[in-house]
C-alpha cells in the first residue's frame, strides 16, 4: 500500500514479463509525472485507487485478463483521456466496475479491439 506515493519524478513504470504479483491499493498516489500506465498482462483484479491523483496521466492500457476494477481505481486523474482495452467491447462490458472506479476523470474514451466507447 502507498508504495510509490508522492514520487513526483517517477515517469515510467515497467512491469517484468510474467509479473504475477499484486499492485496494492493506492500504490501510485500523487505521482505527478506519469503520463502512461500499463496494467500488467495477466492481471485479473485492479485494486482500489491503484493510480490516483496523477495530474499528467493521459493513457491507461488494460489487458483483457482484467475481470474487476476496484473502487476509485483511476480516480481524480483530470487529464486521463484514453483507456486501451485489449479485448472486445462486449468483454469490456463484462468487466465488473466497482462504484466510482472512474471518479473525477472527466471526458474519456475506451478503445477496444473492435470498437470505441465514449464515456461522458
Amino acid at each position: 500500500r502507498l508504495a510509490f506515493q508522492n514520487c513526483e519524478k517517477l515517469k515510467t513504470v515497467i512491469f517484468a514479463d510474467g509479473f504475477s504479483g499484486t499492485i496494492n491499493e493506492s500504490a501510485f498516489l500523487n505521482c505527478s509525472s506519469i503520463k502512461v500506465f500499463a496494467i500488467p498482462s495477466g492481471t485479473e483484479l485492479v485494486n482500489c485507487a491503484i493510480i490516483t491523483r496523477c495530474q499528467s496521466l493521459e493513457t491507461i492500457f488494460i489487458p483483457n485478463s482484467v475481470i474487476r476494477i476496484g473502487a476509485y481505481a483511476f480516480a481524480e486523474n483530470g487529464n486521463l483521456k484514453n483507456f486501451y482495452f485489449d479485448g472486445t467491447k462486449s468483454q469490456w462490458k463484462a468487466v465488473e466496475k466497482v462504484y466510482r472506479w472512474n471518479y473525477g476523470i472527466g471526458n474519456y474514451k475506451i478503445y477496444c479491439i473492435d470498437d470505441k466507447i465514449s464515456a461522458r
Side-chain angles (χ1 to χ4, degrees):
R1 198 169 180 239
L2 302 171
F4 298 98
Q5 178 184 11
N6 298 319
C7 289
E8 296 172 2
K9 294 183 180 184
L10 180 63
K11 292 182 180 182
T12 305
V13 178
I14 300 171
F15 294 93
D17 285 341
F19 174 84
S20 61
T22 300
I23 304 170
N24 290 325
E25 74 180 60
S26 302
F28 297 94
L29 175 66
N30 293 322
C31 294
S32 58
S33 296
I34 296 175
K35 288 188 176 189
V36 177
F37 187 80
I39 296 169
S41 180
T43 299
E44 291 185 349
L45 306 174
V46 176
N47 282 317
C48 300
I50 64 163
I51 184 161
T52 56
R53 297 184 191 148
C54 298
Q55 301 92 308
S56 297
L57 186 64
E58 297 173 352
T59 303
I60 293 179
F61 290 90
I62 302 172
N64 63 8
S65 56
V66 169
I67 58 172
R68 184 176 189 271
I69 298 175
Y72 299 94
F74 310 120
E76 298 182 32
N77 293 310
N79 289 314
L80 181 54
K81 302 291 182 220
N82 302 301
F83 288 92
Y84 290 91
F85 178 67
D86 188 30
T88 65
K89 186 175 177 179
S90 63
Q91 285 175 304
W92 173 255
K93 288 183 177 185
V95 172
E96 178 188 0
K97 297 159 199 83
V98 178
Y99 178 73
R100 294 192 150 198
W101 70 275
N102 58 354
Y103 175 76
I105 294 176
N107 295 322
Y108 60 90
K109 291 190 182 349
I110 301 163
Y111 296 91
C112 301
I113 60 173
D114 63 346
D115 202 357
K116 76 177 174 188
I117 304 166
S118 294
R120 299 188 208 221

